[in-house]
Amino acid sequence: MSDATAPDLPDSAATPDYVGVVKFLLEPFLESPASLKVDCEVLPRNSRVLVRVAFDGEDRGRVYGRGGRNIQAIRTVLQGIARASGHSLHLDVFGGQPAGRDEGGREAPVDRRSGSAKQMPRRSRPR
């Protein structure tokens, strides 16, 4: 068997274009792709990549998907690309307060027929 070695790659090929990949994966989910902000920080000391993403709060549900499936698939793709380059990747998602949350940050019940958050009656405390 012959000893096959990988060809020497230029430095630009060693670090993938994480910002471009994130934009490619997220923009189809966004109503206003111009609101997407991506920040990527590669830490060469420990081969770690930090990717921070921010977009309008209204798009949060579409980006996350049912049960978080969309964002998990995006994380999996990014982690695969990072692993192939010898990096470990962490994706942080920032954004406005998603629709459907009350003042306390709790998930508000959603009326499935209209798709809007229902107003829950206030409960009085027993005295």
Side-chain angles (χ1 to χ4, degrees):
M1 226 191 239
S2 65
D3 220 7
T5 59
D8 291 331
L9 299 174
D11 288 338
S12 62
T15 303
D17 179 17
Y18 292 109
V19 173
V21 173
V22 169
K23 286 183 178 182
F24 176 78
L25 293 172
L26 282 177
E27 282 180 351
F29 294 109
L30 304 176
E31 287 247 341
S32 56
S35 70
L36 178 63
K37 307 276 187 289
V38 181
D39 178 45
C40 179
E41 186 177 351
V42 179
L43 306 170
R45 181 174 165 188
N46 56 2
S47 299
R48 188 157 186 177
V49 179
L50 302 173
V51 179
R52 295 173 200 91
V53 178
F55 47 84
D56 287 338
E58 301 88 42
D59 295 328
R60 192 176 198 109
R62 283 188 294 279
V63 170
Y64 275 83
R66 185 172 293 176
R69 291 180 189 159
N70 293 347
I71 196 68
Q72 186 57 45
I74 291 167
R75 278 193 173 103
T76 301
V77 169
L78 290 171
Q79 287 171 346
I81 292 169
R83 235 179 251 127
S85 299
H87 297 128
S88 65
L89 184 130
H90 182 75
L91 176 67
D92 282 331
V93 180
F94 298 96
Q97 184 174 344
R101 296 214 175 244
D102 64 6
E103 301 84 33
R106 295 178 303 268
E107 192 74 32
V110 174
D111 184 0
R112 293 181 188 260
R113 286 173 270 146
S114 69
S116 62
K118 289 193 267 185
Q119 291 294 332
M120 297 298 289
R122 292 191 180 248
R123 294 182 186 164
S124 61
R125 282 193 200 168
R127 294 184 190 207

